[in-house]
Amino acid sequence: MALAFTLPDTDGTPTSLHGDGAPAAVVVFTCNHCPYALAWHERIQDVARDYADRGVRVLQINANDAVKHPRDSLAAMQARVAAGEFASPYLHDETQEVARAWGAKTTPDVFVTDASGVVYRGAPDADHGDPSLNAAWLRAALDDVLAGRSVANPETKPVGCSIKWK
């Protein structure tokens, strides 16, 4: 899997995966309309805020076809960022090249990477409908990486809406 990428954020600023030397990076393929992505959204923002001071980079990527799904347009992304809904960069994968390279399947589809590559892939936690789970699977993977341990649970099933391919 070709991990490295650079995508524009909602202001057009090129943003790369490990551009700042982060010990871990979280890549979340998400969107503006999927009920699963929306249900897990705040939990993912909480992870971005809670782990920022530990050097973890969280990048959220919208790769959906905005022609077929106007709610996923760049303008709609910009409106959500302007409203303060994102605690980390929200990137636009207009060509869908990054989503294809990563094998993204759903919104959300969560990946945790370290210097060795992807060490966790799946859902943020066991139930999009239960905010009390607090992205437990994602947090456990990050805690393992930051402690220098192998990730105990490296894969769960990503759950959500399918990526809307062109």
Side-chain angles (χ1 to χ4, degrees):
M1 176 189 310
L3 287 180
F5 65 80
T6 301
L7 288 171
D9 69 11
T10 53
D11 291 329
T13 304
T15 306
S16 60
L17 176 60
H18 281 287
D20 59 1
V26 178
V27 174
V28 181
F29 290 91
T30 190
C31 70
N32 294 337
H33 79 277
C34 169
Y36 295 92
L38 295 172
W40 267 309
H41 181 77
E42 278 309 311
R43 284 175 258 179
I44 291 166
Q45 305 323 301
D46 287 344
V47 167
R49 284 186 284 268
D50 293 348
Y51 285 83
D53 64 348
R54 296 173 71 187
V56 172
R57 182 177 182 82
V58 177
L59 301 174
Q60 299 169 79
I61 301 174
N62 184 347
N64 279 352
D65 179 353
V67 173
K68 293 181 192 157
H69 299 274
R71 286 178 60 192
D72 287 326
S73 70
L74 178 58
M77 291 172 62
Q78 290 166 332
R80 288 188 71 199
V81 169
E85 294 183 34
F86 285 81
S88 67
Y90 192 21
L91 310 179
H92 191 210
D93 184 11
E94 185 175 10
T95 66
Q96 301 183 322
E97 287 176 29
V98 174
R100 287 187 192 284
W102 281 63
K105 302 218 179 310
T106 59
T107 55
D109 200 344
V110 178
F111 296 80
V112 174
T113 69
D114 67 9
S116 71
V118 174
V119 295
Y120 174 80
R121 192 263 176 99
D125 57 44
D127 185 355
H128 71 281
D130 185 353
S132 74
L133 294 178
N134 200 25
W137 293 345
L138 171 54
R139 289 173 184 274
L142 285 171
D143 291 344
D144 285 346
V145 168
L146 293 172
R149 298 184 298 260
S150 294
V151 174
N153 187 15
E155 189 167 354
T156 63
K157 184 176 192 269
V159 175
C161 303
S162 62
I163 299 279
K164 306 308 181 205
W165 302 107
K166 293 182 180 183

